[in-house]
Amino acid sequence: MILALESSCDETAAAVLDPPRALLSSEVASQVSKHRPFGGVVPELASRNHLLSLRPVIESALQGAGVCLKQMEAFAATSGPGLASSLLMGNTAAKALAATCAKPFISVNHMEGHLLSPFLDAPLKPHVALIVSGGHTLLIKVKEFGNYEKLGSSRDDAAGEAFDKVGKMLGLPYPGGPEVEKCAKEGNSERFPFPRSMLGSGDFHFSFSGLKTSVLYTLQKIGTPDQQTLADLCASFQAAVIEVLVTKALSAAEHCGMETLALSGGVACNKSLRENLHEECGRNGIGLCAVTPEHSTDNAAMIARAAAEKLARGQFTALSEDIDPNLSLAP
Ligand code: KG4
Ligand code: ZN
């Protein structure tokens, strides 16, 4: 069994997995309410809260799985990308447990965790991955575990980051993603023709900062929006993001000759994105493998899933190996 920890941003998480894929428990302690008054994640506050939450989260993951530390074959933790002071907490805790129990330590790339999250209870198959999180927007050609080719990424803001910034601009609480989605439900997505940046660029890269600026200029022109205008702004913004994500993901799958497209990352919670992608995949004869909404945002189950693949290959990490806030998944 593997005990995996995740602490790359503001979620403290622990999971127990019986390899290859039997997830026995997955606990997440969210810090959202602690960071909300500041309108975003405060790194020092995040690391202090990881320190406070790690022990109870680990204990309830073990308890939930009905196991004890002695039964663990390996200990895993996220080593990047993320906030240095947050990464250090989970990483050091997992290393300490590995040293104490004299078992191997396995470091996991957070983005590889997201990439595997649609395959939590299924074998990994060749696919094109669309990973949309708060820090990254990636299109990756996946041949097998560890064989990743980056097809494209965002040139500026990540999709989730754009949701969060637009939410803030519109006076919605942090994090903006789920709030913008809620507000968009009552809105008209055609009222504001926001730009679909890089839609026709002929590559698989993205750009969302122009769209964000366009929302800002529209807002400055309108002044304080009434409830309906606010909903229309959210719906129009969301539609612009989704159109670009869906169009590029499908053309990447076609370009690679892949029959499967996988969706993951926090933005994969978005119902409208899921529905649009599902519809377009159906139209184009491509199978969609979407992460469950529960495992879209940061969790340790996905870290355990990646660690199980590494355990099977004997890919262990030296305790002296440092975290890497800028760790990349593929060149
Ligand atoms: O993967 P994640 O939990 O953390 C990172 O690795 O960044 O993703 C968090 C991001 C945030 O930007 C959040 O606003 C966004 O996912 N998000 C959403 C929704 N739920 C979370 N964006 C759009 N619609 C949602 N329902
Ligand atoms: Zn994440």
Side-chain angles (χ1 to χ4, degrees), residues 117-141:
S117 63
F119 302 91
L120 271 183
D121 54 11
L124 181 65
K125 56 179 163 186
H127 68 278
V128 164
L130 171 63
I131 313 178
V132 272
S133 72
H136 296 82
T137 306
L138 292 168
L139 273 169
I140 294 180
K141 180 180 175 182

Side-chain angles (χ1 to χ4, degrees), residues 6 8 110-111 114 133-135 265-266 296-299 302:
E6 154 62 36
S8 63
H110 181 80
M111 302 316 291
H114 277 305
S133 72
S296 296
T297 48
D298 292 347
N299 63 84
M302 65 186 197

